[in-house]
Amino acid sequence: FLPSWLQTFAAMQPFRGIIDIPCRLYTGLIPVAEAPLYIGFQLLWTVFFIWLGKTVLTKGLARFEIQGG
């Protein structure tokens, strides 16, 4: 139902790895030989979000100031 360019964009989003990829692996729609590629895709997003969280936390803590203590 979506244009091809939007399908490509949606396939690259991290939300696909939450339900779509595990279900497709479980049901056999993704062959076992391709499983490392899809798991690697999920790991890349995981590493990215961990890095982003640490960066935001570090910058936030650098500006944090406790008053009177």
Side-chain angles (χ1 to χ4, degrees), residues 1-63:
F1 295 121
L2 300 173
S4 61
W5 64 269
L6 188 56
Q7 288 179 6
T8 304
F9 176 74
M12 298 307 292
Q13 300 304 307
F15 310 111
R16 181 177 182 207
I18 296 172
I19 284 293
D20 185 47
I21 292 174
C23 287
R24 294 178 86 187
L25 284 169
Y26 181 74
T27 58
L29 293 174
I30 297 175
V32 176
E34 294 180 16
L37 176 70
Y38 287 95
I39 293 171
F41 172 78
Q42 290 176 294
L43 287 174
L44 280 174
W45 275 112
T46 301
V47 168
F48 170 74
F49 281 120
I50 289 172
W51 170 80
L52 181 65
K54 286 186 176 186
T55 302
V56 169
L57 182 64
T58 302
K59 287 185 179 190
L61 288 176
R63 296 177 49 199

